[in-house]
Amino acid sequence: MIEGVLLDVSGVLYEGAQSVPGAPAALARLQAAGLPVRLLTNTTTKPCHAVAEKLQDLGFEVAEDAVLTPATVAMAWLTETGHRPHLLIHPDLREDFRTAPDTGQTAVVVGDAGEYFTYNNLNKAFRLLIEGAPLVALAENRMFRDEDGGLSLDAGAFVRALEFAAGLEARLVGKPAAAFFSAGAAALGCAPESVAMVGDDAEADVAGALASGIGAGILVRTGKYRAGDETLFDPAPTCVASDICEAVDLIIARAGH
Amino acid sequence: MIEGVLLDVSGVLYEGAQSVPGAPAALARLQAAGLPVRLLTNTTTKPCHAVAEKLQDLGFEVAEDAVLTPATVAMAWLTETGHRPHLLIHPDLREDFRTAPDTGQTAVVVGDAGEYFTYNNLNKAFRLLIEGAPLVALAENRMFRDEDGGLSLDAGAFVRALEFAAGLEARLVGKPAAAFFSAGAAALGCAPESVAMVGDDAEADVAGALASGIGAGILVRTGKYRAGDETLFDPAPTCVASDICEAVDLIIARAGH
């Protein structure tokens, strides 16, 4: 029985600058069915308010506090553990760290910095790491679908580079980290096993959610999906849907009320 | 019986800007004994002619074609297999690839590109890799001692980044790759088992050579050598010498003519 829903954003609700056909109405149907929804996006280039605004512009009814990003989880960790962040992130994301601690041990926080992944910026982070700073990875995705239509290097490549050189392991707070899915279930007010996660990334969204104890993982054939993705990762998706519209039909059919 | 000699360069023939005391004369003694010599260095920022010139400036009698670098081995592989290189290397090294094939399948070649490891350059390489280009790593070192005295990110970090993102393994052509020692023996015109390798790196130079079938691996206590290094790696050095001068004495005593 599904009592709450986590939705990936890019590739599920929209592709590029266009909403997936029928997606705003599909989201509204979930809300009308009384199912709480949170949007779980691994974006590390946009602050939460910008994610919500983009969705609103595309016709989705979404509040800013329904959006959870890895920055949300990283901020909670920095605050709880008293770490001051050294940010290797896109400048647009800095606003989500504006209330971070400014004292305490330094932690290196890496997101998708894009063109800000210069040798000098990476080397500054490396030098902090070999002096003992922990490494927090907002994401470890290998690639993303870029604006020109091609696949491009994502933050995970740079996280691996720093891990290898400094001889340590990053603390991942983005998908597929269990911490992110747990934060999503907590925000829904649901037990993880009663939550469904919908995503276009068979590894980070779907296998990650299932491995973290989320009850159902639905893979959609939009966004970055490539034929056969559902066979590549363990656990396999609970089911595969053509798009968010079909996924919502499946969820409502299995809803707890 | 030793019939040819491979020498590491930095830490064996010179340290920083100074030749190791007696090293130019030791090299001359090998040559006078009729033993062919090749210099096997893992530098990926200097072309062969610059390595030879630095040695000549320090008083060594060395021809440019006695210097073998990972670029030498990569060039041989590109030529043999008919691959056209896409170079992600320091511009100074480009001259060693000037006769590379300009047709055929593309191969991505990565060295220590330093500040040229920009996001855009890495992403261009990544896109070629996911289209099927093989990845050739000139080195996989984690870090190096930089000009400011601090440790800095080396090529290995960026090789790992590309391997992770593209889901493949690089073909390593620098030490300790067997291909590099084999190329050295071939350049000497010797069977590998009749060759001695002298180096200050117990792992990459000495254990690497022995694991590749080189007959003798001599560790010198200069350069990066630290007490006890000879006990850390398998295979253990054939013998340990205080410096290149003593290593040459040992080699000449066991020479085949």
Side-chain angles (χ1 to χ4, degrees):
Chain A
M1 298 296 258
I2 294 171
E3 294 176 350
V5 182
L6 299 173
L7 300 178
D8 180 34
V9 175
S10 173
V12 173
L13 298 182
Y14 61 75
E15 294 181 293
Q18 303 282 326
S19 61
V20 169
L27 178 61
R29 281 195 289 136
L30 280 180
Q31 291 161 336
L35 286 164
V37 175
R38 291 294 182 279
L39 306 178
L40 216 66
T41 167
N42 251 11
T43 183
T44 66
T45 55
K46 285 198 190 110
C48 291
H49 93 267
V51 175
E53 276 170 19
K54 175 165 183 178
L55 288 168
Q56 289 156 6
D57 289 347
L58 289 172
F60 293 93
E61 283 206 24
V62 172
E64 181 181 337
D65 63 5
V67 176
L68 301 180
T69 70
T72 318
V73 184
M75 269 297 292
W77 182 83
L78 292 165
T79 305
E80 280 164 31
T81 60
H83 282 86
R84 168 178 54 183
H86 173 89
L87 299 172
L88 181 51
I89 62 176
H90 196 282
D92 289 350
L93 192 62
R94 289 187 175 264
E95 67 172 76
D96 281 353
F97 289 92
R98 66 190 180 281
T99 60
D102 57 2
T103 58
Q105 194 196 354
T106 300
V108 173
V109 177
V110 180
D112 176 18
E115 67 192 276
Y116 300 92
F117 279 126
T118 62
Y119 181 81
N120 281 337
N121 284 342
L122 285 160
N123 205 39
K124 276 183 204 162
F126 167 71
R127 288 183 167 192
L128 290 168
L129 295 174
I130 59 176
E131 283 166 16
L135 176 60
V136 177
L138 298 182
E140 58 174 20
N141 300 59
R142 291 158 50 161
M143 58 186 91
F144 66 99
R145 182 71 63 184
D146 212 339
E147 287 167 7
D148 66 359
L151 292 166
S152 286
L153 279 176
D154 212 334
F158 299 92
V159 171
R160 284 292 178 282
L162 291 170
E163 286 182 326
F164 171 74
L168 50 75
E169 270 193 46
R171 167 185 296 272
L172 175 68
V173 294
K175 292 179 278 189
F180 199 22
F181 296 107
S182 301
L188 290 168
C190 295
E193 59 270 21
S194 67
V195 170
M197 169 78 205
V198 182
D200 64 332
D201 185 323
E203 185 174 18
D205 290 330
V206 178
L210 292 169
S212 304
I214 296 295
I218 305 177
L219 180 65
V220 289
R221 292 197 184 97
T222 51
K224 73 173 67 167
Y225 173 84
R226 289 194 279 189
D229 278 357
E230 60 269 37
T231 65
L232 299 181
F233 306 102
D234 186 44
T238 311
C239 52
V240 185
S242 56
D243 59 16
I244 180 66
C245 306
E246 189 184 344
V248 164
D249 291 341
L250 293 165
I251 289 168
I252 289 177
R254 294 174 57 187
H257 40 214
Chain B
M1 299 295 259
I2 293 172
E3 294 175 351
V5 182
L6 299 173
L7 301 177
D8 180 34
V9 175
S10 174
V12 173
L13 298 182
Y14 62 75
E15 294 180 294
Q18 303 282 326
S19 61
V20 169
L27 178 61
R29 281 194 288 134
L30 281 179
Q31 290 161 336
L35 285 163
V37 175
R38 292 294 182 279
L39 307 177
L40 219 65
T41 167
N42 251 12
T43 183
T44 68
T45 53
K46 284 198 192 110
C48 291
H49 94 264
V51 175
E53 276 171 19
K54 175 165 183 178
L55 288 168
Q56 289 157 5
D57 290 347
L58 290 171
F60 294 92
E61 283 207 23
V62 171
E64 180 181 336
D65 62 6
V67 176
L68 301 181
T69 69
T72 318
V73 183
M75 269 297 293
W77 182 84
L78 292 165
T79 306
E80 281 164 29
T81 60
H83 282 86
R84 168 179 52 184
H86 173 89
L87 299 172
L88 181 51
I89 61 176
H90 196 282
D92 289 351
L93 192 62
R94 287 189 173 263
E95 66 174 77
D96 281 354
F97 289 93
R98 65 189 179 282
T99 61
D102 58 3
T103 59
Q105 196 198 352
T106 300
V108 173
V109 177
V110 180
D112 176 18
E115 68 192 275
Y116 300 92
F117 280 126
T118 62
Y119 180 80
N120 280 338
N121 285 342
L122 285 160
N123 203 41
K124 278 182 203 163
F126 166 72
R127 289 183 166 193
L128 291 167
L129 296 174
I130 59 174
E131 283 166 15
L135 175 61
V136 177
L138 299 181
E140 56 177 19
N141 302 59
R142 290 160 49 162
M143 59 185 90
F144 67 99
R145 183 70 62 184
D146 212 337
E147 287 168 7
D148 66 0
L151 293 167
S152 287
L153 282 175
D154 211 336
F158 299 92
V159 171
R160 284 293 180 281
L162 291 170
E163 286 183 325
F164 171 74
L168 50 75
E169 269 193 45
R171 168 185 294 270
L172 175 68
V173 295
K175 290 180 277 190
F180 200 20
F181 297 106
S182 302
L188 291 168
C190 294
E193 58 271 22
S194 67
V195 170
M197 170 79 205
V198 182
D200 63 330
D201 185 322
E203 184 175 20
D205 289 331
V206 178
L210 292 168
S212 304
I214 296 294
I218 305 178
L219 181 65
V220 290
R221 294 196 183 95
T222 52
K224 72 174 68 169
Y225 173 84
R226 293 289 173 272
D229 277 358
E230 60 270 36
T231 65
L232 299 181
F233 305 101
D234 185 44
T238 311
C239 53
V240 185
S242 56
D243 59 15
I244 180 67
C245 306
E246 189 184 343
V248 164
D249 291 341
L250 292 165
I251 289 167
I252 289 176
R254 295 174 57 188
H257 41 211

